[in-house]
Amino acid sequence: MTLKDSLTKKNVIIHNFKIALKQNIVTTVLSIITLTLAMAIPAIMYLRQYIGKDAKVCEFSDMRFSVVYILIVALIGIIQAIVTFKFLYKRSAVNTYFSIGVNRSTLYKTRVLAGTLSTFISVLVPFIILVLINLVFSSSVGLVLSYAGFLFIGMFVTAIMAYAITTLICSLTYTKAESVIYSILANLFPTLILSGLNGLMSAFLWGNTYGINNSFNYDFHGSLITHYTKLNPLLFFNKYFSNYSSYRESMPMENLFRAELLFLPIIMFFIAILIITIARKTFIKRRVENTGIIGTSKILANIVIATAMFAGFSAFMYFTRTGSYPMSVETATLLGILFTTIIYVSFAFPLRVVSKRNLKGLILFPINLIVFFVILGIINTGGLGYTNYIPELESIESMEISYRGLPDTALFGGQSGGIDTYLFENNEAIMLKDLDDIKLAITLHEKLISQGWIDPKFDYENPKEFVIRNMTLVYYNLKNGKRITRLYPIATLGLFKEMLILDETKAFNILFSSIMDINEEEFNSIATKSENALIIVQGFPLATGKIYIKESLSKTLHLIGESEEMANEIRQAIKIDFLNSITNEKYFPNEVEKYHLYFVRDHYNDLPKEIIPSTNFQIYPFGIVTFIVNPTYINTIEVIEKYYKSEGEEIESLYIVGNYNDPLAERNSTEACPFYKTGIMRISDALSTLPEGFIKIDDSEKIKELYDLTRGIYHISDGGYMVYAKLKGEFYVITRYIPRDLLPTEFKEQLASK
Amino acid sequence: MIEIKNVTKKYGDFTAIENLSLKIEESSIYGLVGYNGAGKTTLLKTAIGMFKANKGKVLVDGENVYDNEEIRKSMFFVPDEIYFLPQANILDMSKFYKGFYPKWNDNIRKRLTELFRLDEKERIAKFSKGMQRQTAIILALSSKPKYLLLDELFDGLDPVIRRVVRELLIEVISETKTTVMVSTHNLRELEDLCDHIGIINNKKIIYDNSTDEIGNNKFRCKVILENKSKLEDYSSINLRKLKISGKIATFIASEREEILDKKLALINPLLVEKVPLSLEEVLLEEMEVEDYDFKGLFN
């Protein structure tokens, strides 16, 4: 090549580059405006509180919406690529660009270079603006620049990755519509596949812990998407962006930027370069004669359609199996096939993968379905050993398990639902380290595994076989540092009751003792050292709160543990009684309870004077724990009666309302209790609205006989009977429960005849 | 020189041109004629190196043209669907092409713009179809290509402009030794313009000859014999569409004139009427155009 040729070639490259760059200008300007506004507005909103404070802070966006920023940046990459290669979809433009004095490789390279530069500018300018904004408020230039530099690199690589993927798609497609649809789906490909798999796992894999809604801070690994986020070209920077989009001086040091954090963006950048290189080859081999003809990229179309089908199929299966009205597997499957067919038809025909004249492509539809069902089959039969896996006993360092016993109801604090308060699952798992404790827990875990997926069921003739939705967590911490997690969202009432035996583990004994022994000063130091720290902290009202007493047939509270000595005396008595009781006595006492104790933290001492009556461990707004004193708690009763004299309330009349079933006091649902549309708390003060037809008893002897049959909240799990006790001279009613087996036959018959 | 050697080009299952060979000499104007969809555009796009042949190759100055940057700097293709940058005027398009064609000449562009009376600052999108084609011709000639490929050259041009374009091309060849390959439906324009004509039909070049030869080897003949004409009388002549009615026979002979005369002399005709076929007649003849039956179509 002569010097003149070389110069001519260089000029052609520069000329072609300028043309491409010019075509991307509008997109670049719009991208800059969009990204700048999206990031700067929340940043300024936050930073303005530091006006004149010379603070060491920086803020580049609203970290809560990191995914939105990631998507904006990815979209910039996608649009820049489509604009860069839009000429490929216009026949006349192709006639020109592929006949002028520039070869395909140079054409591609100069275009990509122009598109990359446009993308770079689109992301860089907003960050420069954000840096300037931050420098107005922040005292640390270094901090602002290092954070901005890191965020920019990550976001630019995200955009370039989207750009590279879209470039590859553009080089393989021949119409603009296809390039747009396929590019979006290709960028979402890992996300769609992983969410599809996760959807099926959530609905069909017994014990699955991926993709669980983490509203209780379960220590899981997130969804498959978050678990494999580092491998996801679209979302790999999401977590980093969320973590490093702002800095406060109060942040722990480990959140400071470190150079090694650049490793992943650099790796992703090279992957993007690799994709761009592959796209160059497909661009060079491009059959320009197909320009403007839809349906010529059949392989790509089939991959994309299969992905969309799979995502739709699994989403449908997920919602039909786990939604408010779960369907049977058979119904869900049939509807899933129908839904998937709709997806297939709505893609395959418009994209000309199949046409009336060419029905060959239809063969892929059943093939796709077969693949989906094979995946579903693998997941539904235990995910290649996932469901049945229990680590070897020798390899287990410790184990954690949650159950609906005292730790879950009393120690863990309650959840306030606004007007009403419910016993609510917290599912903090108790840590077991003793070998016998672990063996016991493994036995229970095996029962959970063998139970498998079952549909919710309420057979009033067979309460033990009630099937209840309630999360049970199982963790294994292995000696090699690994952590095995399992979650079981449903089980029979019988199994839940069986699991109450975990109260007899050494771990529970130590935990309960330590809570009852802690004094206010020691609380924080002990709680933070304990392996069950969270349980202890959440059990703080029981450990340190003021003690109020209420009789079973009363609505009035009295402070009983005025002095610390008295309170400690009561706690010690409770500790002895509770730990000496066998599980069945604690939860299913043979006699009606005597007192309710309320443990209230000082700063929550505004307890209402007329509290809604409760029947057993009842959690009130955070900071208050109730404790039911059974007649077998001799020591506790003795201490209480040393300081408190019974007032004695009389029942004027008793109403037997009917079956009330609220297994584990979990839902207050109409499903559990077909008679009532509202929860048990509201029913309790609803005398004036009582419907007619219930059995009313006025005879005092009969009232006493029946009242003595009433029991605590665990009995309502058995499909027992709800009873209203109206107190003499009061408008108020107390809600009580009579276990199913204890209600005399005559009343059962009377109820049945109504 | 453009050499098209055994080129086959397929679109999926459809074969557009098959095993097609052609040679276009330098400084000539080659006219390509054929039905709609016969493969003219495919041939041109393969010749410019835009399409990759499934079989065979196209050599320009001895080099394979496909995706050949250097060769293509000396070639300009004006397609049937002309592309202009969005909102561009002639000046913008000049800048666009100037970067790709080292021999670009702004003077030619200016003079031709004046010649065609176009406003070079007006957006091309506002131009009529004919004006846009004129613009494409201006841009093509301004790039001073060695090879100029023109698809449907006269589409949308009025008769005056057609004449101007024809003269322009002749001038270009005479002055710059440019080789022109042009496809069109307008046979009359080709007849006057081209020095070589190729007819493409049924995926192949079925006729490839100089325009001078066209009038010299295809004749419509009427022969009157003394006695009743017989088929055997004409068996030595390469002919088609022979019709005998008593002493009179009519046919189309594909023979050089002197050979035809000799062969006819052997049957002692009383009278011979011999008219050379026009290009259009040659095309219809070569492509064996059938008679369409429209009777009753609109009843």
Side-chain angles (χ1 to χ4, degrees):
Chain A
M1 190 184 280
T2 63
L3 179 63
K4 192 184 167 194
D5 288 343
S6 173
L7 286 173
T8 308
K9 187 173 175 63
K10 197 177 164 190
N11 288 340
V12 167
I13 292 170
I14 293 169
H15 179 66
N16 196 32
F17 174 74
K18 280 182 185 169
I19 291 167
L21 201 59
K22 205 172 165 186
Q23 285 176 353
N24 285 58
I25 283 178
V26 175
T27 315
T28 305
V29 171
L30 290 176
S31 300
I32 289 169
I33 294 169
T34 308
L35 191 58
T36 305
L37 288 178
M39 290 173 76
I41 292 172
I44 293 169
M45 298 280 275
Y46 169 76
L47 286 167
R48 63 182 180 172
Q49 63 185 296
Y50 291 98
I51 294 172
K53 288 186 180 169
D54 203 27
K56 195 176 177 185
V57 290
C58 66
E59 185 77 27
F60 289 93
S61 65
D62 188 332
M63 65 167 77
R64 292 170 301 168
F65 304 115
S66 59
V67 170
V68 175
Y69 297 110
I70 293 284
L71 290 179
I72 290 174
V73 164
L75 203 59
I76 287 172
I78 292 171
I79 293 171
Q80 290 284 17
I82 289 172
V83 172
T84 305
F85 291 103
K86 68 176 180 183
F87 72 97
L88 292 176
Y89 309 114
K90 198 170 180 183
R91 211 172 255 269
S92 61
V94 165
N95 286 340
T96 299
Y97 280 102
F98 285 85
S99 67
I100 51 177
V102 56
N103 65 27
R104 292 180 177 210
S105 179
T106 310
L107 181 64
Y108 175 81
K109 283 191 269 190
T110 46
R111 287 264 157 183
V112 164
L113 204 61
T116 306
L117 182 62
S118 303
T119 309
F120 179 80
I121 294 167
S122 303
V123 184
L124 179 68
V125 174
F127 272 93
I128 291 173
I129 295 169
L130 261 293
V131 165
L132 296 175
I133 291 169
N134 270 277
L135 290 178
V136 171
F137 299 96
S138 180
S139 64
S140 176
V141 178
L143 176 81
V144 170
L145 289 180
S146 61
Y147 270 54
F150 174 59
L151 293 177
F152 164 71
I153 289 169
M155 294 301 254
F156 171 63
V157 174
T158 302
I160 280 301
M161 184 57 93
Y163 182 88
I165 292 169
T166 309
T167 297
L168 179 62
I169 297 300
C170 286
S171 70
L172 290 167
T173 51
Y174 293 91
T175 62
K176 203 183 278 180
E178 283 174 302
S179 76
V180 171
I181 294 169
Y182 295 165
S183 295
I184 291 169
L185 287 174
N187 276 283
L188 290 172
F189 180 77
T191 311
L192 289 175
I193 294 291
L194 290 175
S195 55
L197 272 176
N198 211 147
L200 291 180
M201 284 164 67
S202 299
F204 294 97
L205 183 62
W206 184 236
N208 167 59
T209 48
Y210 289 93
I212 300 300
N213 186 10
N214 199 1
S215 55
F216 294 108
N217 295 317
Y218 299 151
D219 185 15
F220 293 153
H221 29 49
S223 66
L224 282 181
I225 294 172
T226 52
H227 194 60
Y228 294 109
T229 187
K230 286 182 178 175
L231 302 177
N232 191 332
L234 184 68
L235 299 174
F236 78 94
F237 197 66
N238 181 36
K239 196 178 149 198
Y240 295 99
F241 188 79
S242 172
N243 285 350
Y244 294 93
S245 61
S246 63
Y247 176 83
R248 324 268 197 273
E249 279 183 290
S250 56
M251 273 184 174
M253 286 300 285
E254 55 264 29
N255 275 4
L256 282 172
F257 169 71
R258 301 179 305 282
E260 63 260 32
L261 294 171
L262 288 170
F263 181 71
L264 187 59
I266 288 169
I267 293 285
M268 281 293 173
F269 181 74
F270 282 111
I271 292 172
I273 299 293
L274 182 68
I275 294 170
I276 285 173
T277 311
I278 293 167
R280 180 183 155 268
K281 290 203 180 298
T282 55
F283 184 88
I284 289 170
K285 288 183 179 172
R286 186 176 176 79
R287 297 167 69 93
V288 292
E289 58 270 31
N290 288 338
T291 303
I293 302 172
I294 204 160
T296 46
S297 324
K298 291 243 181 321
I299 296 172
L300 183 64
N302 281 310
I303 293 171
V304 167
I305 291 171
T307 309
M309 281 171 72
F310 181 63
F313 174 76
S314 56
F316 188 87
M317 298 301 268
Y318 173 76
F319 288 116
T320 51
R321 288 288 296 153
T322 63
S324 305
Y325 301 99
M327 297 176 187
S328 69
V329 177
E330 294 77 16
T331 314
T333 306
L334 278 174
L335 290 173
I337 292 172
L338 182 68
F339 184 65
T340 313
T341 309
I342 293 168
I343 294 175
Y344 181 78
V345 170
S346 36
F347 274 97
F349 283 91
L351 295 174
R352 294 284 196 281
V353 175
V354 183
S355 63
K356 281 179 187 171
R357 292 177 62 184
N358 176 21
L359 294 172
K360 276 191 291 182
L362 272 177
I363 188 71
L364 285 164
F365 176 66
I367 290 173
N368 284 342
L369 275 186
I370 288 167
V371 172
F372 299 165
F373 279 109
V374 168
I375 295 169
L376 181 61
I378 290 170
I379 289 172
N380 201 29
T381 52
L384 304 171
Y386 177 94
T387 295
N388 292 330
Y389 178 68
I390 290 177
E392 296 291 326
L393 191 61
E394 303 77 51
S395 68
I396 300 170
E397 178 77 33
S398 63
M399 188 178 171
E400 294 161 66
I401 189 164
S402 71
Y403 65 107
R404 294 307 306 262
L406 183 65
D408 197 41
T409 54
L411 299 187
F412 294 170
Q415 296 272 339
S416 170
I419 298 168
D420 288 338
T421 306
Y422 305 102
L423 270 172
F424 207 84
E425 53 181 324
N426 282 305
N427 286 336
E428 292 297 347
I430 188 166
M431 171 79 80
L432 311 172
K433 285 193 164 176
D434 179 82
L435 194 62
D436 290 333
D437 285 358
I438 292 172
K439 279 182 186 170
L440 175 66
I442 287 177
T443 312
L444 293 168
H445 185 200
E446 284 169 341
K447 288 184 179 178
L448 277 165
I449 290 172
S450 59
Q451 176 208 264
W453 279 108
I454 37 178
D455 291 329
K457 189 175 74 180
F458 295 97
D459 176 5
Y460 288 94
E461 296 308 314
N462 195 4
K464 273 201 164 187
E465 294 306 313
F466 283 174
V467 178
I468 302 154
R469 286 183 185 278
N470 180 76
M471 300 283 189
T472 303
L473 309 174
V474 179
Y475 301 130
Y476 291 97
N477 302 305
L478 305 186
K479 287 173 181 164
N480 63 9
K482 280 190 179 171
R483 185 168 164 87
I484 309 294
T485 60
R486 293 293 184 270
L487 177 73
Y488 302 96
I490 203 162
T492 62
L493 182 61
L495 187 47
F496 281 124
K497 282 185 175 177
E498 221 174 308
M499 290 182 73
L500 295 173
I501 200 158
L502 286 163
D503 268 11
E504 294 179 15
T505 56
K506 288 188 184 71
F508 178 80
N509 274 261
I510 293 165
L511 176 67
F512 193 78
S513 298
S514 60
I515 286 174
M516 296 315 251
D517 289 343
I518 292 171
N519 62 41
E520 185 90 23
E521 288 72 36
E522 293 171 328
F523 189 81
N524 281 339
S525 61
I526 291 174
T528 50
K529 281 178 199 159
S530 169
E531 59 212 11
N532 286 305
L534 203 55
I535 298 176
I536 294 180
V537 169
Q538 293 187 358
F540 73 95
L542 198 58
T544 63
K546 283 188 177 175
I547 305 171
Y548 293 82
I549 189 166
K550 182 184 85 64
E551 290 182 63
S552 302
L553 270 181
S554 171
K555 61 185 188 325
T556 313
L557 296 175
H558 303 277
L559 183 65
I560 182 171
E562 286 99 344
S563 70
E564 202 173 308
E565 290 74 29
M566 284 165 69
N568 282 339
E569 198 179 348
I570 293 167
R571 284 195 180 88
Q572 288 305 313
I574 288 173
K575 186 180 89 178
I576 293 163
D577 285 335
F578 198 76
L579 295 181
N580 286 337
S581 299
I582 59 167
T583 303
N584 211 37
E585 275 179 4
K586 283 192 281 188
Y587 294 103
F588 305 100
N590 289 323
E591 292 175 60
V592 67
E593 78 271 13
K594 299 270 298 187
Y595 303 106
H596 297 181
L597 293 177
Y598 293 78
F599 295 78
V600 185
R601 283 287 295 181
D602 280 344
H603 58 281
Y604 279 116
N605 60 2
D606 53 342
L607 192 68
K609 290 294 175 210
E610 291 196 345
I611 190 167
I612 297 166
S614 65
T615 51
N616 204 318
F617 295 115
Q618 182 73 55
I619 311 304
Y620 275 82
F622 196 65
I624 303 170
V625 172
T626 63
F627 187 87
I628 307 305
V629 183
N630 290 333
T632 51
Y633 296 169
I634 296 161
N635 293 294
T636 312
I637 291 168
E638 195 182 314
V639 174
I640 287 170
E641 291 183 350
K642 231 165 72 177
Y643 302 115
Y644 175 74
K645 193 171 178 297
S646 171
E647 289 178 340
E649 295 277 358
E650 266 190 72
I651 299 172
E652 185 182 289
S653 52
L654 203 71
Y655 297 82
I656 303 175
V657 181
N659 271 117
Y660 184 88
N661 182 59
D662 193 359
L664 304 188
E666 183 191 18
R667 297 278 178 209
N668 285 328
S669 68
T670 52
E671 183 183 29
C673 175
F675 291 104
Y676 306 106
K677 301 293 178 200
T678 54
I680 57 171
M681 295 309 177
R682 288 185 181 174
I683 291 166
S684 62
D685 62 354
L687 184 66
S688 59
T689 61
L690 266 179
E692 289 183 2
F694 296 132
I695 301 166
K696 186 183 177 193
I697 297 127
D698 295 319
D699 176 47
S700 57
E701 277 188 25
K702 208 70 177 167
I703 288 172
K704 187 177 181 321
E705 184 190 324
L706 282 170
Y707 177 75
D708 287 345
L709 298 175
T710 63
R711 298 289 183 270
I713 201 164
Y714 271 81
H715 281 287
I716 67 169
S717 302
D718 286 349
Y721 296 88
M722 186 154 78
V723 170
Y724 289 163
K726 183 180 180 303
L727 303 181
K728 200 166 263 181
E730 296 280 357
F731 177 74
Y732 212 73
V733 295
I734 306 291
T735 310
R736 304 288 303 172
Y737 302 93
I738 299 177
R740 186 178 181 77
D741 296 339
L742 296 185
L743 186 72
T745 314
E746 57 176 302
F747 294 111
K748 285 182 183 171
E749 286 170 353
Q750 276 186 52
L751 278 171
S753 66
K754 284 189 182 293
Chain B
M1 185 169 66
I2 299 174
E3 286 176 274
I4 295 164
K5 290 186 169 177
N6 306 317
V7 166
T8 298
K9 179 65 197 167
K10 292 181 176 180
Y11 300 126
D13 296 334
F14 173 74
T15 305
I17 49 179
E18 190 173 25
N19 207 23
L20 188 149
S21 294
L22 194 64
K23 205 179 267 186
I24 301 166
E25 298 294 339
E26 274 187 39
S27 304
S28 66
I29 302 187
Y30 189 96
L32 194 61
V33 186
Y35 282 136
N36 290 331
K40 299 188 296 291
T41 303
T42 302
L43 184 57
L44 285 176
K45 287 182 177 176
T46 312
I48 192 79
M50 185 192 302
F51 288 177
K52 188 173 189 180
N54 297 82
K55 264 171 62 182
K57 57 188 169 184
V58 178
L59 301 178
V60 175
D61 293 342
E63 283 194 54
N64 196 330
V65 72
Y66 177 72
D67 203 26
N68 189 324
E69 188 173 296
E70 288 309 309
I71 290 291
R72 282 220 304 243
K73 278 177 189 162
S74 63
M75 301 178 87
F76 198 105
F77 174 52
V78 178
D80 52 346
E81 290 172 82
I82 308 165
Y83 171 74
F84 300 106
L85 294 169
Q87 311 304 321
N89 56 28
I90 294 175
L91 291 175
D92 296 327
M93 288 312 297
S94 300
K95 278 184 204 160
F96 175 81
Y97 282 111
K98 201 173 174 177
F100 296 111
Y101 290 95
K103 292 182 181 171
W104 179 272
N105 188 322
D106 273 323
N107 203 32
I108 297 175
R109 189 253 305 157
K110 266 185 204 164
R111 287 194 57 189
L112 288 178
T113 309
E114 284 165 15
L115 179 78
F116 286 116
R117 294 176 187 168
L118 295 174
D119 180 355
E120 61 183 13
K121 289 180 182 169
E122 182 62 86
R123 277 181 294 164
I124 299 169
K126 283 188 170 180
F127 287 177
S128 69
K129 189 184 171 189
M131 288 159 84
Q132 289 190 356
R133 191 150 283 276
Q134 290 165 42
T135 306
I137 292 165
I138 293 169
L139 295 168
L141 296 178
S142 303
S143 69
K144 293 188 75 182
K146 188 175 176 190
Y147 297 97
L148 180 57
L149 284 77
L150 305 156
D151 197 8
E152 303 299 349
L153 172 64
F154 299 103
D155 251 21
L157 299 180
D158 62 53
V160 177
I161 298 293
R162 260 188 254 164
R163 189 175 59 82
V164 174
V165 169
R166 204 167 54 234
E167 286 171 3
L168 248 180
L169 288 178
I170 291 165
E171 186 68 18
V172 165
I173 289 171
S174 63
E175 282 189 16
T176 64
K177 310 290 183 201
T178 300
T179 304
V180 179
M181 190 174 179
V182 55
S183 83
T184 180
H185 295 115
N186 197 324
L187 301 172
R188 289 191 196 287
E189 306 289 354
L190 277 191
E191 204 162 16
D192 298 341
L193 176 70
C194 301
D195 43 26
H196 222 93
I197 295 286
I199 297 174
I200 186 168
N201 189 33
N202 203 17
K203 304 166 195 170
K204 288 181 176 156
I205 294 284
I206 54 165
Y207 179 86
D208 181 14
N209 226 327
S210 72
T211 38
D212 296 340
E213 290 293 314
I214 288 171
N216 204 22
N217 64 4
K218 289 257 183 195
F219 298 92
R220 187 182 301 282
C221 300
K222 185 178 181 183
V223 179
I224 302 172
L225 300 182
E226 198 172 340
N227 300 315
K228 200 174 177 184
S229 276
K230 296 190 288 287
L231 273 176
E232 307 88 81
D233 296 334
Y234 306 98
S235 58
S236 64
I237 302 169
N238 186 11
L239 57 74
R240 293 184 62 237
K241 295 190 179 176
L242 175 63
K243 284 182 187 168
I244 296 173
S245 175
K247 295 176 182 176
I248 304 169
T250 58
F251 55 87
I252 292 170
S254 299
E255 299 277 12
R256 294 191 65 80
E257 191 170 12
E258 57 273 22
I259 294 169
L260 180 62
D261 288 345
K262 278 181 190 170
K263 286 181 179 176
L264 285 173
L266 293 174
I267 55 174
N268 297 317
L270 288 178
L271 177 72
V272 173
E273 275 181 21
K274 191 171 69 197
V275 183
L277 291 189
S278 67
L279 179 59
E280 189 167 350
E281 285 171 320
V282 172
L283 175 71
L284 297 174
E285 169 61 22
E286 286 295 335
M287 299 203 308
E288 297 175 0
V289 176
E290 58 194 74
D291 293 329
Y292 294 98
D293 181 13
F294 297 125
K295 279 178 189 168
L297 181 64
F298 301 106
N299 288 341

